[in-house]
Amino acid sequence: MSARTGLRGGLRLESHKSLPLLQAVQPVPAPSAAVLALDQGSGEEARAVVTPGTRVRIGTRVASGHGAAADLHSPVSGEVRAVELRPTASGPGTCIVVANDGRDEREPNLAPLDWSALDGAALLERLAGGGLAGFGGAAFPTAGKLALARAAGVELLLLNGAECEPWICCDDALMRERASGVVLGTRVMLAACSAARATIALEDDKPEARAALEAALAEAGDARLGIVVLPAVFPLGAEGLLIAAVTGREVPSGALPPEVGVVCQNVGTAAAVARYVSEGLPALTRIVTVTGSGVRRPANLEARIGTPIAELVAACGGYGDTPPAARLIAGGSLTGRALASDAVPVTKGLNCVLVATAGDLPARAPQVPCIRCGDCAAACPVGLLPQQLHRAARVDDPAGLARFGLADCIECGCCDYVCPSAIPLTAGFRAARERQHLHEAERRRAAEAKTRYERHRRRQGEQAEAERRAFEAARRRALGDGAGSA
Amino acid sequence: MNAATLWPVVGVAASLAVVLGAALGWLATRLRADPDSLVERLDALLPQTQCGLCRYPGCRPYAVAIARGEADTDRCPPGGEATARALAMLLGREPRTVDPRYGETRPPQVAMIDEARCIGCALCLPACPVDAIVGAPRFVHTVIESQCTGCELCLPPCPVDCIALLPSPGTASPPRAATASA
Amino acid sequence: MEFPTSASPQVIAGYTVPRVMFQVLLALAPVLAVQVYLYGPGSLWLVAVACVTALASEALALALRRRSSHAALRDGSVLVTAVLLALAVPPLLPWWLLAFGTAFAVLIGKHAYGGLGQNPFNPAMVGYAVLLVSFPLEMTRWPVPGPEWDALTGATALDALHTGLRQGYTMQEVRAGAEFGRLGAAGSEWVNLAALAGGAYLLARRIIRWQIPVAMLAGLAVPAALAHGLDPGGHAGAMFHLASGAAMLGAFFIATDPVSAATSDRGRLLYGAGIGLVTWIIRSWGSYPDGVAFAVLLMNLAVPLLDRVTVPRIHGHP
């Protein structure tokens, strides 16, 4: 356990981040067709407000947000070609396809925002229209998150610049080149959620980013903002663990960070907020790391949302052929998702495209039975016993899964990484979660059916009772008449 | 061992047997499972389809019958093998596969009324054990999909055979794990 | 362009079970070397017999269970069992007795419970216990240690301690006997030193973690030191216990068998301490001179209970 961070377990990994950072962030040409996924990474889809044939401009709202989905805006001008299922990072999803007419026309009413003149609640309302969502991957609407934080009275806004996972360096590049944007965004969010102070957290393998941020902070001169440097351990960047490392407080299981007085935002989100208030542009672009030995010139690219990954790879010189590209991963090597096709578009939550060769991601050894070595428990940052969870998941034992904390697993993959038996522990936990979810849904349906059935029986009983009484009354009347008339 | 030591030994062994046997017997009566709670627990494992395939008028009567020992755990096709196994595990018995005489286990299904053919006779309304059919005489009826358990009890009363059974739509995915860096 | 998909994490460290087992075998080499130096080449022959028997038994068990033997035979886990057993028994043991013990360990101690990863008891100790109880004479016949390899057998230091104290001699009188070396048992202290070296190697390479060895040695040393302090004539001191019998071999190689040990770190501390304590108790008051094997088996019984009460605190829970 690290004394400085209080983190148990975790891994120190080779970072693989140097190549893309050799050059500055490069812009990518706009795609010929922008594929805008209604689910930008949060799991919930926004509702399309355009139909094929609608003309849109840069900044036109094409889908309206609700729940865990933020508003979605077009990053190109042109005509909506289709609203249909397309491959996305999370499987087939409904996408709005906009054909780019190449004219880059903007919505006329995009204007900077005088954010310091607004009070917190009004600022939140204005931010809601910017399509701002968590750029760290979860893509949760920023305005909604800040509103929750404000209602809970949080006192710390924590900016997550940790970027602990290997291969990903988009946040590092962002902090190096646009530190002032990050600082501005932080100050805006601070005002929106009315927290008392803000801390930018980053890992100690980013000295240039730290220097740039310190300079930007000095220039802004806002005493409420500060920096904290943490050791480069995976997965310190996971929200709950970062909060514990910086504040010493643990978010209770099942609860959200505002409960311990903290709200967390990614530095990329802060930069997007800054762009929105200073130029009026909603969230339309993001920095994506394109890396791996399977791409010719790894780089950090600024790409418009909706650009197919194939075009990002092309902007980096295309796929290499010795050694050939073997897998395409959205994200880093531990928590990233393997993609079947490079037609998948960039979303607000996509931080990295790893074009991996067989050497980058060696194949797993064949799985053998668990030898109970306990290395998985030693590596688990949340303090679980993956070995016991694995045994409970194999036989679908809900009591065991609850007891050993399946609900608290953050699916970081540390246990898989160290397992000498090459057991796919994380995949097993994910599957067990799905099965539990289905079971619970079934149980709820059964309970509802039972309630309705009991009501049905009661009503039938009452009806039968009413009929019987009516019959008796009629019979008495008939007999009474008869007796009377007899 | 001689006769002098034999009788005390026999005496001690016999007394131990009597005392321990009495204690076990008393404990067995004190710690017997509450029969009502057993019925509740059995009922909680059943799928609440209320279809009557088990030859009992609903899930709870079947649970009562199992608790009384009148029926075995292999009569519930909608619950499938998982339910049969869970029932057996609760009672500490060997799990049995679902007896095909009581029906075949099918994937979750819901009923759908073909509104073009429905004549509004209202005969299916009382047949539904969970009141999932909405309608009135001479008005088109419809099944509330989220409340239908797929028990098929509405099929026989319909005179124009306008009710079909379709596979149940799936449930939504669970929320994602929180590894994303905010 | 299309790509194959896979579940995350997309990369793992690549530690494998055969690699772990091989490191353990490597760490046992000094022990084997010292035993051969002290007692003659009997140990080498026994190791060979045990390995062959173990592999044959594993192949037989897998065939009976209708499992593929290709991967399982190559993972080396059964070789570790064989070598440990061969090093634990006296070097003069008839080879067919060791073959029986090894076969029992693999067939009953491991495969009857379900094979790799499923055995609740340490298979090597199961084999040892069966041999010790069934053939007490052959299993306690140790040769006199020394660079000369004659087939003379004599009492071990633990034997001498055991009988000597019961006959009323004090510790000091017993200690002066020829069976005793400088630290502990003559000859055996060198074996223990070699096991300590091997164990340190395994710790450095992170093949084993420190909880079990440290706890076991503490569990053995602390009661011994206390008893010796209170009654120097009636009990041997901590250093003696640590340097005799199978103390070091047990601490670093036998008790650390992951399959039969406790799961969490706290559980392992209790497990190791329990083994040490029970070993000391058996050595002091039991009928057998060395208690490591039975101590390990007894604590294996306690592992499910230890696992239940030592679940670590989960992040976000009170």
Side-chain angles (χ1 to χ4, degrees), chain C residues 269-304:
Chain C
L269 286 172
L270 289 173
Y271 173 74
I275 293 179
L277 181 63
V278 174
T279 303
W280 178 75
I281 291 175
I282 295 179
R283 281 183 179 181
S284 304
W285 292 292
S287 326
Y288 291 95
D290 195 1
V292 173
F294 294 118
V296 168
L297 291 172
L298 282 170
M299 288 311 291
N300 285 154
L301 274 175
V303 159

Side-chain angles (χ1 to χ4, degrees), chain C residues 24-257:
Chain C
V24 173
L25 289 173
L26 201 61
L28 281 171
V31 177
L32 179 58
V34 170
Q35 275 214 314
V36 169
Y37 174 76
L38 289 173
Y39 302 115
S43 294
L44 274 175
W45 166 237
L46 286 181
V47 165
V49 166
C51 288
V52 168
T53 315
L55 287 170
S57 311
E58 176 116 318
L60 174 65
L62 289 167
L64 286 173
R65 290 173 61 204
R66 285 180 249 249
R67 299 286 167 98
S68 138
S69 46
H70 180 70
L73 281 176
R74 289 176 59 183
D75 70 23
S77 59
V78 77
L79 288 179
V80 171
T81 304
V83 173
L84 277 177
L85 187 54
L87 289 175
V89 301
L92 291 183
L93 194 71
W95 66 269
W96 48 272
L97 273 185
L98 181 63
F100 165 69
T102 312
F104 192 93
V106 174
L107 291 172
I108 306 292
K110 181 176 165 188
H111 280 282
Y113 290 104
L116 182 65
Q118 307 280 9
N119 44 288
F121 296 106
N122 187 318
M125 291 302 101
V126 168
Y128 185 92
V130 162
L131 286 176
L132 185 58
V133 169
S134 315
F135 306 100
L137 233 47
E138 286 84 348
M139 283 292 286
T140 51
R141 196 181 293 148
W142 284 83
V144 175
E148 306 88 41
W149 302 333
D150 22 9
L152 289 175
T153 59
T156 63
L158 284 171
D159 283 333
L161 193 66
H162 191 247
T163 47
L165 287 178
R166 269 167 187 65
Q167 285 169 357
Y169 292 107
T170 66
M171 189 58 217
Q172 286 70 18
E173 292 164 342
V174 175
R175 190 80 174 68
E179 306 89 352
F180 288 79
R182 233 167 335 177
L183 289 174
S188 191
E189 58 192 355
W190 295 108
V191 176
N192 275 290
L193 215 56
L196 179 60
Y201 169 75
L202 288 181
L203 275 176
R205 300 276 289 186
R206 301 203 172 179
I207 304 291
I208 59 176
R209 293 212 296 284
W210 63 267
Q211 282 85 3
I212 295 181
V214 167
M216 178 181 164
L217 294 175
L220 183 55
V222 167
L226 280 174
H228 184 68
L230 292 172
D231 177 13
H235 284 94
M239 185 50 85
F240 171 77
H241 275 290
L242 289 178
S244 54
M248 291 291 173
L249 193 69
F252 290 98
F253 295 91
I254 299 177
T256 51
D257 167 45

Side-chain angles (χ1 to χ4, degrees), chain A residues 45 101 131 159-160 257 304 309 331 335 340 350-351 354 380 478:
Chain A
E45 287 187 344
D101 60 11
L159 269 283
N160 191 341
R304 301 194 200 195
I309 286 180
T335 63
L350 179 73
N351 50 11
L354 171 55
C380 179

Side-chain angles (χ1 to χ4, degrees), chain A residues 18 34 48 52 85 125 136 152 159 169 183 190 218 234 238 259 304 310 320-321 336 361 390 418 421-422 426 458:
Chain A
S18 46
L85 277 179
E125 249 185 75
L159 269 283
C169 52
V183 170
L190 201 52
F234 175 81
E259 196 157 314
R304 301 194 200 195
D321 36 33
L361 302 177
H390 170 64
V418 297
S421 298
T426 314
R458 233 184 352 256

Side-chain angles (χ1 to χ4, degrees), chain A residues 55-422:
Chain A
R55 276 209 55 82
V56 296
R57 285 181 269 225
I58 293 182
T60 310
R61 197 173 68 143
V62 295
S64 111
H66 61 97
D71 284 350
L72 189 56
H73 301 80
S74 174
V76 297
S77 61
E79 191 179 290
V80 175
R81 190 188 291 160
V83 178
E84 61 189 11
L85 277 179
R86 286 285 184 102
T88 71
S90 34
T94 316
C95 297
I96 301 173
V97 184
V98 181
N100 187 359
D101 60 11
R103 294 208 287 262
D104 267 357
E105 280 173 24
R106 286 192 182 190
E107 279 285 325
N109 52 358
L110 300 177
L113 184 62
D114 187 7
W115 62 274
S116 47
L118 296 170
D119 75 1
L123 183 54
L124 272 175
E125 249 185 75
R126 297 297 297 273
L127 285 177
L132 300 156
F135 274 45
F140 193 84
T142 308
K145 200 166 180 181
L146 292 172
L148 268 168
R150 188 192 169 74
V154 301
E155 54 96 19
L156 171 66
L157 168 65
L158 184 54
L159 269 283
N160 191 341
E163 206 166 54
C164 53
E165 193 165 348
W167 298 97
I168 311 178
C169 52
C170 55
D171 287 348
D172 194 351
L174 174 75
M175 289 188 287
R176 288 185 195 197
E177 297 184 23
R178 302 182 195 176
S180 49
V182 172
V183 170
L184 171 60
T186 306
R187 298 180 67 207
V188 174
M189 292 198 287
L190 201 52
C193 69
S194 300
R197 56 195 178 92
T199 303
I200 305 177
L202 58 157
E203 294 194 332
D204 58 15
D205 58 349
K206 301 178 176 57
E208 299 91 341
R210 178 190 183 166
L213 279 173
E214 278 171 348
L217 282 174
E219 205 183 305
D222 191 334
R224 299 171 303 165
L225 277 60
I227 290 188
V228 151
V229 179
L230 299 167
V233 178
F234 175 81
L236 203 46
E239 195 178 65
L241 298 172
L242 187 71
I243 292 174
V246 171
T247 66
R249 297 170 229 164
E250 285 185 9
V251 179
S253 170
L256 290 171
E259 196 157 314
V260 291
V262 181
V263 63
C264 221
Q265 292 284 5
N266 182 269
V267 289
T269 314
V273 168
R275 186 169 272 185
Y276 182 57
V277 303
S278 48
E279 298 175 46
L281 284 172
L284 297 173
T285 69
R286 70 157 295 143
I287 300 180
V288 181
T289 306
V290 180
T291 180
S293 308
V295 68
R296 289 225 165 82
R297 292 190 300 271
N300 281 303
L301 303 175
E302 175 142 33
R304 301 194 200 195
I305 311 291
T307 308
I309 286 180
E311 296 189 23
L312 296 181
V313 175
C316 287
Y319 296 103
D321 36 33
T322 41
R327 278 193 276 172
L328 187 66
I329 312 290
S333 53
L334 271 289
T335 63
R337 257 187 164 124
L339 299 175
S341 144
D342 60 4
V344 167
V346 173
T347 53
K348 292 174 192 170
L350 179 73
N351 50 11
C352 175
V353 172
L354 171 55
V355 185
T357 60
D360 290 334
L361 302 177
R364 282 182 185 236
Q367 180 186 349
V368 292
C370 166
I371 61 170
R372 290 172 46 89
C373 64
D375 283 355
C376 53
C380 179
V382 184
L384 304 177
L385 292 174
Q387 193 195 113
Q388 305 283 42
L389 272 175
H390 170 64
R391 275 164 196 242
R394 269 176 63 186
V395 295
D396 223 359
D397 165 21
L401 288 170
R403 176 142 191 269
F404 293 111
L406 177 68
D408 297 293
C409 170
I410 59 173
E411 292 178 23
C412 60
C414 289
C415 51
D416 275 61
Y417 191 81
V418 297
C419 179
S421 298

